[in-house]
Amino acid sequence: MTTQYTTGPWKQEGYNIWAPGAKANVATVSDPYAGKYVEFSPVEFSSSHAKEAYANARLIASCPALLEVAKKMLAAIQRLRVCPLCKEPECDCWADSVAAIVNAEGEEETP
């Protein structure tokens, strides 16, 4: 069974990622250097890590759109029966695309 994620588009406001209509934030980015096992470490705006945390939030917010584009591109490659990048019918581009989509959509184990 595929696990359903919060549908996009997601929006970024500072370090928060939210989906219009959702009841809570999708994610909040913490300081990327706060520590390995920290529950949450807010980013101080004056922190040297602020720009990186902001970029992380921007990347996370774009994930639903990127997933949809990847699915469309893979469908186009399937219709063409050849990869437009390397001109091979089944290549690493193909396998990497399939793996990334499967990973993004995930599969939930049934108890």
Side-chain angles (χ1 to χ4, degrees):
M1 174 193 239
T2 301
T3 303
Q4 181 60 39
Y5 54 86
T6 304
T7 57
W10 293 352
K11 305 290 181 187
Q12 174 197 3
E13 268 186 22
Y15 305 107
N16 296 308
I17 295 88
W18 56 277
K23 295 181 181 179
N25 285 351
V26 173
T28 300
V29 176
S30 68
D31 186 329
Y33 298 96
K36 188 171 181 181
Y37 299 105
V38 68
E39 284 185 26
F40 178 74
S41 179
V43 179
E44 299 294 329
F45 287 107
S46 61
S47 166
S48 63
H49 309 133
K51 286 184 180 180
E52 183 175 350
Y54 192 82
N56 290 345
R58 189 174 56 248
L59 178 62
I60 292 166
S62 69
C63 285
L66 290 170
L67 177 60
E68 290 308 310
V69 168
K71 289 172 158 182
K72 289 176 184 175
M73 293 300 293
L74 187 59
I77 290 171
Q78 288 172 321
R79 283 192 305 274
L80 293 171
R81 298 186 190 273
V82 66
C83 175
L85 297 175
C86 58
K87 311 296 186 218
E88 296 292 327
E90 290 192 25
C91 60
D92 289 343
C93 302
W94 173 284
D96 292 347
S97 298
V98 170
I101 292 168
V102 167
N103 185 49
E105 294 188 326
E107 294 216 2
E108 188 176 350
E109 291 184 23
T110 318

